Structure formats: structure tokens, C-alpha cells
Amino acid sequence: MAAKTKNRDDFRQQIKDALCERVATLCSNPDCRAPTAGPTMDKTKVSYVGQAAHITAAAPGGPRFNIDLSTDERKDFDNGIWLCNICAKKIDLDETHYTVSLLRSWKSQAEATARSEHGVPKATSMERNLFKVGLLKTPIHQFVSSALSNMSEIVAAIDPRFSVEVHTTSSLTQLTFTANEPVVFRTNVLPSYQSEFNAKMRALVEHGESLVINSSAVRMEGSALLEMFRDDESTLSIKATRRKPAAHKISLRDPNSYAVLALDDFVGEIVTGTKSFKFEGRAFNGLYRLRYRFNFSEEMGIQDLPVEFLFNYETWEGRTVTQLPYFDKLLRYFEALQNNWIGSWILEIEGKEVITGSGTGAAALDSDSDTHTMLRYLKNVREILSLLGTDVPFTRAQISGKDISAVISLWSMLCEQPRRNSNEFQLPSSNQLTPANKSQATALSDAVKRGDAMAVEIDRHFDEPFNFCGTYLKINPVKLHYSKVRFGLIDSKKITPKKTVGIAMTPEEDCVFLVSLSETPFVIVAQSPT
């Protein structure tokens, strides 16, 4: 009888030993990493619960069999992976999930981990528990703070391919893990989260958007470290790695005088996906933020970029209104936009010009109209406060349209009109005048009858306090002085002492307008009136 032919291309013992020892006898599955060698009762023997598994099957019909491989290639070290007995059986029962590329990545990671851990003490079970307790915020007092303070050492012991940064607040612990070398991992997503995960993963790949999802929705395989993030109270965030430092430069040019205003650079970074990149940068010490997205196309031509300018008022908190940093430069920028100066911009990546553009300032002004309105309001507030000889703290209080209109009217009266020529005075069509005595009544009556010009003073009272960035000031009565005006009688009443009469006023060309404040020009109202 002829001998039975062996049809399996099995590994030689030397290959098996190499596969086992090159991963420090640990299972190569990153989610397992079980030790596969241990002592027996016989002091001369070792118990192995691992095996040299074939990545592509040793014989036809086996999982992942590759007909194109030769016998020597099937028996070669490159076709083997060291696994515990359980994982070895698991990969053969589900060859669709456990692909050739996945198993090769396991093997590569396992060898890299063994190399980095060679001669380095392992994390103790106590350290692992403290690490997890620190993450889950279990209140065990000093043990949590101890774990957090030693987080880098603990992470390095669990998986040295990662480093960690810890940020803590009174209610939150945030850990940012960074892979120090390429790490291959797989994700299994719960069915109820599949649609959300797929959409966010597509946005991550195509546009570089961060993927943020409940950590319990995703099972990540590839590191024992990742296994520790599976509870409903934590959030998993995956950020795009294709990032580069960048700067967006803006300058404006007056089309008439050719004067140029250069805005401070928006310094930040671009985050790139397969279909677009996003720029986000800050200027004026974080006060002003710019972001937009640029879509890739076959022809990298002109695009109508949806630009967002975001104003961070929090950087002004605690400052006084007349001492706000960067205010004057920002105001000049917005005034130039309003006057349709020509804008030019350049996006630089690591100092190299990548994209340029130009146009009038109208679009930028429209996109940031709220900030423009706020800056104009602050300009008026600052000038009024300087006139009153006081200052107030800046707070991002709610400023209504009515509040803004009231401040603009007050500024026009107290600050703007005294600087104007007489033919630009915005006098009301009717003023209420009350002669204090017979002499004043006679003089006013004669001026009306003859059409003579004369000096006049009007007391102006303010019924409501004014909102100056959350501080309410009640302005005391002021005197409005007109050096030369002509009158027209509105009321048919006879002008008599201590009787109020409506008078139309028209300033002469050489009329001078002045405002006199009360000795105590204002009173601070402690809180917003109801």
C-alpha cells in the first residue's frame, strides 16, 4: 500500500519558535495580548497555549487560502502569526472579518510593541485600575489624583505607541491620546449608531471634520488602551491628522487715494480631507477668528468661499470700554470695508502662497454685520464716556436695538454736532422754550417779530438711563448753546415769562453750537430698570 501524501504546508519548528519569541510569547491580537507560555508542575517543561497560525491557509479549502503562493511561501515566516489557541480558532471561523491585511497589521503591531517593551517593566494591575478609575471619575479621592499625575507612565506601560495629555476641570477630565507611530485598528459600530458613524466618518475622510460620538457606540480593536473607553458617560473624538500651519493675510486699498490698511495675520492651520480643506485662524490675540472651507476640484479656479468671521468678546471681559485692545485698528478696518475699499487676501501654508483673492469689502461687511454694529456702538460709547470723564467695564451684556439707537442719538447731540458746521446742525423742527423773566420774554418776542438772530440756551432732559455695555448711566440735564439762530413762532400763544412756547429754530451760517454738562453729569444706575 502506498504511503498517504501529506497535503499541508506546515511551519518548521524554527519558524514557530521565531513567531512566538518575536512577540514575547504574547498573542498578537491587540485586543487579547494573552501570555501563551507558562510553567507546568514539571520544572523541566513549559506549557504553551498558543500556536503559529497561517495567515493564508496551509492547504486548499482553508481560510484565506491563496492559490498563487508556492509551498515554500506558505511555510515561510512571513505567512505566519503567533496567536493564543482561542484567537487562532476565532480567525479561522470568520475569515471575512479577519482578513489577510488585518492579520498582517496585528503581526506588525505585536512585533513593534514587543520591541518597544523589551526590558521595560509592565504596568501593574493596580496601575491599570487607577488609570480606568481616573477616566471614569470614580470618587476614590487621592487615588484618582495619583493616577492622573502618573498618566503618561501608565499609558506608556499599557501601550507605548501612544502618549497622552491630561486636562482637568472641576467637572471633567479630558485625555488626548496621540499615536507616536502608525497604529492600525478596526472599529465595530453598534447598529443603532451605524448611520451616524458612517456620515461622520465620511466627513472626517472627505473634509477633515472631527468625528465625535458616544464611546459606547464603537468597539475599537487594535490596542488594549482603546478597550478602556466603553461607557455611556464618555465621548470618543477622532481628529484628522493631515494638518499644517497656515496664515491668512488681508489688506485693503482705497481705490481713490491708494492708501493701504493691512490687517493682522490670521494665524492657524489647515485641516485637509480628500475633497476639501478647512482653514481656521485667529488674529488680535484671539479676539477675531476667521474660518472657511476650500473645495478641491479638477480646475482649482475661483470659488465663492463661505467665510465666517467670529468675534470673541470674552477676550475683552475685565477691560474698561475706553481701553479695549485692538479696537481702533478693527474700527478702521470696518470703516474701510464700508467705504468699499478693495480687499486682497493670501493664504500661506508654511510661508508659501497657496491661494489668493480680491474684491470689494461689501461681502465681508455683510458677513459680519453684527460685529460692525457692535463696534460702531462701542465707538459712540467710548466718545461719550470720554466727554463725561468716566469709564465703565466691558461686559458682553445684551444690547438691544433700542439701546443702540438711544446711544447713537445721545452721541450725535453731545459729540457729533459740536464738531459740525452750522449748516449741518440737526436741529429739531420744534423746541420748547420757557423765558425765565420778562426781559427774556420781550427779547424772544422781538426776535421772532423782526426775524433777528440771537443766542439761545435750551435745557435738555433725559427721561431714561442709557445702556453702556451693561452699565446704565442716568445723564443729568445738559444745556445746549446756540450762538446765533433765527426763530419762527409755532404756537400762537403770546410769549410771556415762565410760559413754555414752541419755537422753530434755524441756525445762521456762523452759528456755534456748544454743550454744557451739569456739575455732576451722570448717576450710575445699579441695575437694569424694569
Side-chain angles (χ1 to χ4, degrees), residues 238-267:
I238 303 176
K239 294 185 177 181
T241 57
R242 299 175 64 185
R243 300 168 178 266
K244 285 190 175 181
H248 185 100
K249 301 174 180 289
I250 298 177
S251 62
L252 297 173
R253 177 174 55 83
D254 185 348
N256 299 314
S257 68
Y258 298 103
V260 175
L261 172 64
L263 204 62
D264 288 10
D265 292 353
F266 288 87
V267 178

Side-chain angles (χ1 to χ4, degrees), residues 8-300:
R8 283 182 54 84
D9 296 324
D10 289 325
F11 299 117
R12 292 179 290 110
Q13 188 59 46
Q14 183 180 2
I15 298 295
K16 295 179 181 179
D17 292 343
L19 289 170
C20 175
E21 293 171 7
R22 284 178 62 84
V23 294
T25 77
L26 302 178
C27 177
S28 297
N29 181 351
D31 291 328
C32 177
R33 304 290 290 156
T36 62
T40 67
M41 295 302 293
D42 187 339
K43 297 180 181 180
T44 63
K45 295 181 179 181
V46 176
S47 172
Y48 284 94
V49 291
Q51 58 182 279
H54 283 75
I55 294 177
T56 64
R64 297 171 298 278
F65 180 75
N66 186 351
I67 194 173
D68 295 329
L69 295 184
S70 65
T71 295
D72 287 342
E73 288 173 327
R74 289 194 189 93
K75 297 191 295 184
D76 189 74
F77 173 86
D78 289 341
N79 195 39
I81 181 172
W82 187 261
L83 297 169
C84 71
N85 292 337
I86 294 176
C87 290
K89 186 174 183 180
K90 185 192 302 184
I91 69 167
D92 286 349
L93 292 176
D94 189 0
E95 60 180 296
T96 301
H97 178 76
Y98 300 103
T99 62
V100 171
S101 61
L102 176 62
L103 297 181
R104 292 196 187 283
S105 70
W106 281 7
K107 180 179 180 179
S108 176
Q109 289 183 45
E111 290 186 348
T113 300
R115 186 180 300 110
S116 62
E117 292 179 347
H118 194 190
V120 178
K122 290 285 188 181
T124 65
S125 59
M126 173 66 78
E127 288 173 322
R128 289 175 182 259
N129 288 335
L130 286 174
F131 176 76
K132 193 164 186 178
V133 164
L135 291 178
L136 302 181
K137 303 180 289 295
T138 303
I140 59 172
H141 311 297
Q142 67 269 23
F143 293 108
V144 174
S145 60
S146 174
L148 292 176
S149 64
N150 296 291
M151 194 68 73
S152 296
E153 291 80 1
I154 297 172
V155 169
I158 296 173
D159 193 333
R161 296 172 299 171
F162 290 88
S163 58
V164 63
E165 292 183 7
V166 183
H167 304 279
T168 60
T169 65
S170 58
S171 60
L172 179 69
T173 299
Q174 178 180 342
L175 297 101
T176 302
F177 293 92
T178 303
N180 300 318
E181 59 185 78
V183 177
V184 179
F185 62 90
R186 291 176 65 91
T187 57
N188 292 322
V189 184
L190 294 179
S192 58
Y193 286 91
Q194 193 73 54
S195 177
E196 177 188 355
F197 182 84
N198 288 343
K200 291 182 175 180
M201 178 57 75
R202 189 178 304 110
L204 172 67
V205 173
E206 295 180 353
H207 304 293
E209 297 287 348
S210 296
L211 189 160
V212 180
I213 199 167
N214 190 302
S215 61
S216 65
V218 182
R219 176 185 174 90
M220 303 185 69
E221 302 173 352
S223 170
L225 193 63
L226 301 177
E227 288 291 302
M228 308 186 77
F229 300 92
R230 287 189 195 166
D231 73 284
D232 293 332
E233 297 182 9
S234 61
T235 300
L236 171 67
S237 176
I238 303 176
K239 294 185 177 181
T241 57
R242 299 175 64 185
R243 300 168 178 266
K244 285 190 175 181
H248 185 100
K249 301 174 180 289
I250 298 177
S251 62
L252 297 173
R253 177 174 55 83
D254 185 348
N256 299 314
S257 68
Y258 298 103
V260 175
L261 172 64
L263 204 62
D264 288 10
D265 292 353
F266 288 87
V267 178
E269 66 176 6
I270 63 163
V271 182
T272 308
T274 59
K275 292 187 176 181
S276 71
F277 74 76
K278 180 179 70 174
F279 170 80
E280 184 165 337
R282 288 174 167 79
F284 306 113
N285 198 29
L287 178 64
Y288 210 27
R289 186 155 50 111
L290 166 67
R291 65 185 180 197
Y292 57 83
R293 184 172 299 284
F294 189 91
N295 297 315
F296 299 135
S297 61
E298 293 182 4
E299 298 181 1
M300 296 285 280

